[in-house]
Amino acid sequence: MTDGRDQFRLVPRNDSPAEAPPDRWPAVRAALDGLRTECLAIVHAGRTEFDREHSLTYRAAEAVIIHFDDLLGRLPAEEAVRLPDDLSPAAVRRTRNILSHDYRSAKRSIVWDVVADRIPSVIDTLLG
């Protein structure tokens, strides 16, 4: 058992050029598939539940959007080329910032549309 002081010690990275970078696509693909399932669960719970004050499905939708932004940043270049032309990573990032910093300026109707339609559509395009 440790006293906790070494929990955050630095561990040197192995950036040896001789090693190929790890293939992140399988993990990103699985995470995207999981997000699609979460979107479906939110929609299945219904718009009335989503719009309710202190709704857990709304909070789940916020988390989905935040995670979606993170996964977009992890897409390998060869997969990112399949993103729809009308998807603005900057707009996704702004939405993520609004939601993650709890500015309360996000319109629920926009969050619903993003989770009910936009994210699943983009994921379907990426996963084929």
Side-chain angles (χ1 to χ4, degrees):
M1 183 148 206
T2 66
D3 62 5
R5 284 185 273 175
D6 63 339
Q7 280 181 309
F8 299 104
R9 68 182 167 78
L10 293 175
V11 177
R13 291 178 56 177
N14 184 0
D15 290 331
S16 169
E19 292 182 29
D23 181 9
R24 291 189 278 172
W25 178 235
V28 172
R29 182 181 179 86
L32 286 167
D33 192 43
L35 277 186
R36 181 172 43 193
T37 300
E38 291 171 22
C39 288
L40 291 171
I42 291 166
V43 171
H44 181 73
R47 183 67 190 260
T48 301
E49 170 58 29
F50 181 85
D51 286 334
R52 191 175 54 78
E53 189 175 355
H54 306 296
S55 167
L56 292 179
T57 56
Y58 178 79
R59 291 293 186 193
E62 289 179 325
V64 163
I65 294 169
I66 291 166
H67 194 190
F68 181 69
D69 174 61
D70 178 57
L71 291 173
L72 286 181
R74 295 172 188 256
L75 281 176
E78 61 272 10
E79 303 300 334
V81 298
R82 295 189 317 182
L83 286 170
D85 291 335
D86 64 341
L87 179 73
S88 166
V92 174
R93 175 57 46 100
R94 283 191 300 273
T95 303
R96 174 237 180 260
N97 286 341
I98 289 168
L99 296 173
S100 67
H101 297 293
D102 201 23
Y103 296 140
R104 301 283 184 218
S105 61
K107 294 183 178 176
R108 283 183 181 251
S109 61
I110 292 172
V111 173
W112 176 264
D113 289 341
V114 166
V115 172
D117 298 316
R118 190 63 173 150
I119 290 176
S121 173
V122 171
I123 292 172
D124 287 346
T125 298
L126 287 169
L127 301 186

